[in-house]
Amino acid sequence: MWKKWKESKLCRKLKQVKINRVVYLSAVVILLALAVVLAITAATNRAKRTEEPTQTPGGITTSTTEPSPSAPGDNNDQPSALIPEMSAPVSGKLSKAHSVDVQVFSETMKDYRVHLGIDIHTEANAQVFAVADGKVSKIWQDPMMGWCVALSHSGECVTVYKNLAKELAEGLIEGIAVKKGQLLGQVGDTALMEIADEPHLHMEMTVKGLQVDPMDYFSQAVIASLSKDTAFEEEAGK
């Protein structure tokens, strides 16, 4: 009896050892398989990060892929991403500034309201020019701001010219390219919302879809000319 009991106990131990070995081997196989899956996933994610573009807070799409070496003489500048240098759209003097935080009085509406552009006081029928190279993106008649022309420029910049006379420059249509200083039309009196003001060009500007002050993008020479320009007054007095 004692011998049989010892043998059965030994058998049970051997079986237990076999079971434990199977469990351990299974656990090792599962861990190795999991490690392989994690390694493959990590490698795939790294490859995607180097190939796919990313979006920066400023909204500019960039890529993390290493750039290829440039050949000598290659130009790596990207002018299309830069806002162009701007000239004055009309000869005159700044009469109303851009104001989105502080409301200004409207002589026509007899109330205070924000002013999304700048007004340049000039003579009636003064010529209006493109402030930079670009493309005519839209021409329309606004019920309150009269005849308007919008130009799109590099750097996701758009300039808008309002209160124009109905007769625009010959050949000016949507979609055509324009050069800096090219004639767009003349100052009119079509802006009913500002009809009580002196003859002026109302100019607005956006960058990446946000309203900005055009004066921030003019050179110091242009700003100086808009601060003390009296050429239009001399012309009107003749």
Side-chain angles (χ1 to χ4, degrees):
M1 288 294 294
W2 173 252
K3 187 177 180 181
K4 289 182 178 181
W5 179 82
K6 287 181 68 175
E7 288 178 353
S8 62
K9 185 177 180 180
L10 180 61
C11 290
R12 286 197 300 270
K13 285 185 176 181
L14 290 174
K15 288 180 180 180
Q16 186 64 40
V17 169
K18 289 181 179 180
I19 293 172
N20 289 341
R21 285 181 179 178
V22 171
V23 172
Y24 293 150
L25 288 174
S26 299
V28 170
V29 171
I30 292 173
L31 290 175
L32 288 175
L34 182 60
V36 171
V37 171
L38 290 175
I40 294 174
T41 302
T44 303
N45 289 338
R46 282 196 298 270
K48 286 184 177 180
R49 283 197 296 269
T50 59
E51 294 174 1
E52 292 180 354
T54 57
Q55 195 76 13
T56 65
I60 300 175
T61 300
T62 60
S63 175
T64 55
T65 304
E66 289 290 333
S68 57
S70 300
D74 282 358
N75 184 5
N76 291 324
D77 293 335
Q78 297 180 348
S80 60
L82 302 177
I83 296 174
E85 181 180 348
M86 297 188 177
S87 59
V90 68
S91 176
K93 183 175 181 180
L94 183 69
S95 57
K96 190 177 292 185
H98 176 271
S99 179
V100 295
D101 299 321
V102 180
Q103 295 183 334
V104 295
F105 185 73
S106 169
E107 290 290 344
T108 303
M109 308 305 291
K110 300 300 180 184
D111 62 6
Y112 286 87
R113 57 184 61 213
V114 296
H115 193 245
L116 299 181
I118 60 173
D119 288 350
I120 302 176
H121 176 204
T122 185
E123 62 179 320
N125 301 318
Q127 292 184 322
V128 178
F129 305 96
V131 297
D133 293 352
K135 183 178 73 173
V136 179
S137 55
K138 187 177 181 180
I139 298 175
W140 76 104
Q141 183 180 18
D142 186 276
M144 300 304 293
M145 292 305 298
W147 283 95
C148 311
V149 173
L151 304 181
S152 58
H153 310 277
S154 60
E156 297 183 55
C157 168
V158 176
T159 54
V160 184
Y161 312 78
K162 298 184 175 183
N163 195 36
L164 299 175
K166 182 178 180 180
E167 294 76 19
L168 300 175
E170 184 178 355
L172 193 75
I173 58 174
E174 292 183 2
I176 69 167
V178 294
K179 290 293 185 180
K180 180 179 182 178
Q182 183 172 329
L183 180 66
L184 302 178
Q186 297 178 324
V187 169
D189 56 359
T190 58
L192 297 180
M193 185 177 286
E194 298 181 350
I195 196 67
D197 295 338
E198 66 274 7
H200 68 280
L201 170 70
H202 178 97
M203 178 186 171
E204 297 179 9
M205 179 175 169
T206 63
V207 175
K208 299 183 185 299
L210 299 177
Q211 208 82 32
V212 297
D213 185 352
M215 296 294 287
D216 293 339
Y217 297 86
F218 289 141
S219 67
Q220 290 301 316
V222 172
I223 293 174
S225 72
L226 295 178
S227 300
K228 59 183 180 181
D229 192 350
T230 59
F232 71 96
E233 295 176 348
E234 295 173 357
E235 184 68 24
K238 290 182 181 180

